[in-house]
């Protein structure tokens, strides 16, 4: 079993380049199923999830050629409309194949999706939206089966919550639907805008991405395109917090600061200095002598991202005072708390609320990554802790952080991946 071993209390310095965004690249890879033509994607990160979604496409008959950080897909050979169970169970993003396959072939079969165990995350918004576009949905013990009688039909869709996945699935499906579709209360995340930009490059007619109202005029077919994936705002935020908790000075490059604004504001509130150079696409953090407590409430974009809650909680474990976290997105996203407690953190949970009383020091311990962002939180805590920390269940971290060990070593961390 592999584990990460971290020797804490090392000052970090230097700069680290941010990879393409995990949460943007997965739906964009899936979107290439909408065309028979080749598509070329740049800045594709080397992640376990990227490998999984590539295998899903290949299982459907698509060609996937991945070298360096460039991926070329070819949809001409796609003939199957059912993704193998073993792939879909690995990763929740596999549900995104429903929209493209239904739009292009008129049917799709999907076993229920897997991924991080951070809540129930039902797919009812996806299914209700596809029904409004003309699909007939049937659910049994084998999964979800959807069919359409001819081309999908545009419609007005209201999402009761601004689901990122549902917005992406419905955007892709509506791109080939007949007529106009309006998605109200749509998710506004930068990853939605990136997908819309890719789809428009393929010939789609999508307007309003990044706002709560997305308008899509369906087109008969899409063609190949080239697209560069946006930088990963969650990866950038994780490295900035690593710098802040160790009271170091580090710089992240290939970073769109505007995508990180709520996180940067809270880092500044905590007493650290943040230097943004939008033209150079860099953000620099200088950790403060004292870490001040801040309160966090996760919200859909442009609010504070749930994907940064765990990491910021690790940071607040060493604040001089009490912090209050409210998690409004996922009901089971405090699984990292028990692991942080093993390191000496003082955290109390009450439903959707976590109360963190800062402690003078954290201590090395044997902990496990209960999900992707929990793993990042434990690593951030380990960098500031006294002694040595070992982190297990690394498959979660492999899903979302490219070259994690190499990048932290580049910053001066004493970290290694070992067989134990």
């Amino acid at each position: 079993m592999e584990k990460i071993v971290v020797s804490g209390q090392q000052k970090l310095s230097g700069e680290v380049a941010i990879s393409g965004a995990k949460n943007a690249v997965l739906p964009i890879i899936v979107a290439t199923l909408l065309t028979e033509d080749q598509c070329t994607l740049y800045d594709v990160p080397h992640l376990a999830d990227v490998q999984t979604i590539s295998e899903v496409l290949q299982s459907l008959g698509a060609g996937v050629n991945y070298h360096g950080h460039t991926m070329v897909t070819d949809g001409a050979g796609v003939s199957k409309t059912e993704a193998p169970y073993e792939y879909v169970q690995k990763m929740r993003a596999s549900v995104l194949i429903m929209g493209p396959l239904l739009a292009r072939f008129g049917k799709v079969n999907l076993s229920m999706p897997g991924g991080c165990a951070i809540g129930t995350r039902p797919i009812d918004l996806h299914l209700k939206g596809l029904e409004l576009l003309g699909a007939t949905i049937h659910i049994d013990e084998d999964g979800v089966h959807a069919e359409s009688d001819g081309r999908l039909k545009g419609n007005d869709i209201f999402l009761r919550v601004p689901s990122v996945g549902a917005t992406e699935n419905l955007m892709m499906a509506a791109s080939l639907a007949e007529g106009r579709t309006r998605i109200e209360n749509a998710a506004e995340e930068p990853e939605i805008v990136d997908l819309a930009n890719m789809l428009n490059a393929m010939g789609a007619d999508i307007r309003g991405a990044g706002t709560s109202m997305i308008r899509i005029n369906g087109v008969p077919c899409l063609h190949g395109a080239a697209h560069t994936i946006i930088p990963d705002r969650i990866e950038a935020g994780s490295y900035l917090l690593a710098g802040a908790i160790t009271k170091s000075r580090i710089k992240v490059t290939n970073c769109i600061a505007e995508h990180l604004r709520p996180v940067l504001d809270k880092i500044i509130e905590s007493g650290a200095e943040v230097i943004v150079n939008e033209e150079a696409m860099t953000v620099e953090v200088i950790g403060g002598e004292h870490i001040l407590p801040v309160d966090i409430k996760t919200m859909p974009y442009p609010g504070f991202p749930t994907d940064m809650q765990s990491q910021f909680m690790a940071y607040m474990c060493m604040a001089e005072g009490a912090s209050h976290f409210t998690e409004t997105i996922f009901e089971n996203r405090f699984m990292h708390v028990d692991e942080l407690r093993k390191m000496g953190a003082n955290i109390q949970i009450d439903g959707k609320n976590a109360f963190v009383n800062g402690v003078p020091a954290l201590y090395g311990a044997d902990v496990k990554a209960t999900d992707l962002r929990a793993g990042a939180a434990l690593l951030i805590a380990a960098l500031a802790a006294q002694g040595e920390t070992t982190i297990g269940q690394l498959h979660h971290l492999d899903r979302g952080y490219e070259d994690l060990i190499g990048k932290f070593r580049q910053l001066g961390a004493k970290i290694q991946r070992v067989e134990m």
Side-chain angles (χ1 to χ4, degrees), residues 3-25:
K3 292 191 175 184
I4 288 176
V5 180
V6 182
S7 297
Q9 296 194 313
Q10 303 295 316
K11 282 284 188 179
L12 305 180
S13 64
E15 60 183 51
V16 60
I18 300 305
S19 301
K22 165 190 175 290
N23 290 337
V25 71

Side-chain angles (χ1 to χ4, degrees), residues 76-90:
V78 176
S79 57
K80 299 179 181 178
T81 56
E82 182 171 0
Y85 176 86
E86 60 267 26
Y87 293 137
V88 178
Q89 286 298 303
K90 285 183 183 179

Side-chain angles (χ1 to χ4, degrees), residues 388-405:
E388 189 173 86
T389 299
T390 60
I391 304 172
Q393 295 190 7
L394 301 186
H395 61 282
H396 290 299
L397 280 166
D398 292 339
R399 291 184 52 235
Y401 290 90
E402 180 180 38
D403 190 22
L404 189 69
I405 304 299

Side-chain angles (χ1 to χ4, degrees), residues 85-113:
Y85 176 86
E86 60 267 26
Y87 293 137
V88 178
Q89 286 298 303
K90 285 183 183 179
M91 187 180 59
R92 182 176 175 78
S94 304
V95 73
L96 295 176
I97 69 170
M98 291 193 70
L101 291 180
L102 188 59
R104 182 174 163 191
F105 297 104
K107 61 180 180 179
V108 61
N109 297 311
L110 186 80
S111 56
M112 297 307 287

Side-chain angles (χ1 to χ4, degrees), residues 2-284:
E2 285 190 314
K3 292 191 175 184
I4 288 176
V5 180
V6 182
S7 297
Q9 296 194 313
Q10 303 295 316
K11 282 284 188 179
L12 305 180
S13 64
E15 60 183 51
V16 60
I18 300 305
S19 301
K22 165 190 175 290
N23 290 337
V25 71
L26 300 179
I28 287 174
I29 291 173
V30 171
T32 66
L33 290 169
L34 287 162
T35 178
E36 297 182 354
D37 298 343
Q38 287 190 352
C39 294
T40 303
L41 306 177
Y42 302 104
D43 281 0
V44 177
H46 290 275
L47 304 171
D49 275 8
V50 170
Q51 179 63 33
T52 299
I53 204 68
S54 299
E55 291 172 356
V56 171
L57 263 65
Q58 289 172 320
S59 75
L60 299 171
V64 179
N65 193 339
Y66 187 20
H67 290 294
H69 289 94
T70 300
M71 178 179 289
V72 179
T73 65
D74 187 342
V78 176
S79 57
K80 299 179 181 178
T81 56
E82 182 171 0
Y85 176 86
E86 60 267 26
Y87 293 137
V88 178
Q89 286 298 303
K90 285 183 183 179
M91 187 180 59
R92 182 176 175 78
S94 304
V95 73
L96 295 176
I97 69 170
M98 291 193 70
L101 291 180
L102 188 59
R104 182 174 163 191
F105 297 104
K107 61 180 180 179
V108 61
N109 297 311
L110 186 80
S111 56
M112 297 307 287
C116 282
I118 54 173
T120 56
R121 300 201 286 181
I123 62 170
D124 62 303
L125 295 178
H126 301 244
L127 303 184
K128 289 177 181 177
L130 292 173
E131 284 182 324
L132 286 171
L133 294 177
T136 300
I137 308 288
H138 173 67
I139 302 175
D140 58 25
E141 65 275 6
D142 295 324
V144 181
H145 314 277
E147 292 188 12
S148 65
D149 183 13
R151 191 175 168 192
L152 294 174
K153 303 293 191 296
N155 204 346
D156 290 346
I157 302 170
F158 176 81
L159 300 177
R160 70 173 188 277
V161 294
S163 163
V164 173
T167 301
E168 292 167 341
N169 225 341
L170 298 174
M171 272 203 315
M172 290 187 283
S175 294
L176 291 181
E178 182 180 350
R180 187 193 69 177
T181 297
R182 295 194 308 178
I183 305 175
E184 299 182 57
N185 199 31
E188 302 177 27
E189 274 76 358
E191 294 80 11
I192 298 291
V193 178
D194 208 31
L195 174 60
N197 289 340
M198 171 61 175
L199 291 169
N200 285 337
M202 296 170 68
D205 183 358
I206 302 174
R207 303 176 186 182
T211 75
S212 62
M213 173 72 79
I214 299 177
R215 295 174 173 83
I216 305 156
N217 292 310
V219 297
C221 65
L222 297 179
H223 53 71
H227 180 78
T228 300
I229 308 300
I230 59 170
D232 195 314
R233 60 194 171 105
I234 306 303
E235 183 192 19
S238 300
Y239 282 108
L240 291 172
L241 286 180
I245 198 171
T246 57
K247 302 180 180 179
S248 303
R249 179 172 189 158
I250 69 166
K251 179 187 292 185
V252 296
T253 63
N254 189 38
C255 175
I256 301 175
E258 187 58 33
H259 294 173
L260 264 178
R261 183 52 57 191
V263 176
L264 298 182
D265 287 346
K266 288 297 181 180
I267 292 176
I268 293 169
E269 188 180 335
S270 76
E273 183 179 354
V274 172
I275 303 170
V276 173
N277 186 329
E278 293 184 359
E279 185 176 350
M281 293 181 64
T282 65
V283 178
E284 192 169 5

Side-chain angles (χ1 to χ4, degrees), residues 349-385:
I349 302 296
D350 182 12
K352 296 181 179 180
N353 299 286
F355 302 92
V356 183
N357 290 299
V359 295
L362 296 173
Y363 302 93
D366 189 3
V367 295
K368 61 181 184 292
T370 52
D371 61 66
L372 169 57
R373 306 308 174 185
L378 294 172
L379 182 50
I380 289 168
L383 291 167

